[in-house]
Amino acid sequence: MGKAWGLPALALVLAGVTACGAIGAGRGLECTNIGADAGIGIDLVPEAAGPITSGQMEICWDGHCLTRELVLSPSTKVGATGCAGTDPSSACSAQAVPTGGKHGFAEVPGLPTTDVKVTVGFDGGPTRTVHLIPKLVFPNGPECGGLGPQGQLELAADGTVRVK
């Protein structure tokens, strides 16, 4: 019985692998294997981020809810840049400068591209709820197909959470 399924299963796997490599094919376009996790990110503006050390996010859709802990990391922006020469092969650099803000991302497998309810809380304090519609991301451009639906929120200086 195992042998009867062996050849069709192998053919299905090969067809899938071939299709993955063919995305964008025939148009002179090469798509990489870069991925994008499904989930919801949040940015905490510097005025709100200071005292916050941890967060939680509950994401609900179609009667199903997931709770995720938020690991918050310091946010940065690009600072001073420079190059060691003018030749195209010259080494260049940029400095990351802290903004005073923080950011986090909650991975949510199975996240739909329909309305989801997101409830966010920080350091055991009050929660805030918003609705958003996650969108597919295109790490290789639209010609290579969309991956992992994502949404983005922001904790504003006045303590409100809004969709970015």
Side-chain angles (χ1 to χ4, degrees):
M1 184 160 177
K3 289 185 180 184
W5 287 99
L7 190 54
L10 178 60
L12 182 61
V13 168
L14 288 174
V17 170
T18 303
C20 288
I23 296 174
R27 293 177 270 174
L29 177 68
E30 190 167 324
C31 300
T32 67
N33 286 330
I34 192 169
D37 290 330
I40 299 176
I42 188 162
D43 291 319
L44 287 64
V45 299
E47 299 82 8
I52 295 174
T53 60
S54 67
Q56 313 76 41
M57 189 179 286
E58 181 183 64
I59 306 99
C60 300
W61 70 93
D62 293 334
H64 174 72
C65 294
L66 296 171
T67 301
R68 298 287 186 252
E69 294 298 316
L70 288 172
V71 175
L72 300 174
S73 302
S75 296
T76 59
K77 65 179 180 178
V78 177
T81 62
C83 293
T86 57
D87 186 78
S89 64
S90 295
C92 296
S93 65
Q95 292 180 348
V97 177
T99 65
K102 295 178 183 172
H103 65 275
F105 185 80
E107 192 173 324
V108 185
L111 186 66
T113 55
T114 57
D115 183 63
V116 296
K117 180 176 85 168
V118 182
T119 302
V120 183
F122 299 98
D123 292 335
T127 60
R128 299 116 171 133
T129 300
V130 296
H131 284 261
L132 65 84
I133 297 175
K135 305 236 184 300
L136 291 177
V137 295
F138 298 86
N140 280 292
E143 299 84 10
C144 293
L147 299 171
Q150 294 183 359
Q152 188 67 31
L153 303 175
E154 179 180 71
L155 176 64
D158 64 2
T160 59
V161 173
R162 60 179 166 233
V163 178
K164 279 180 80 173

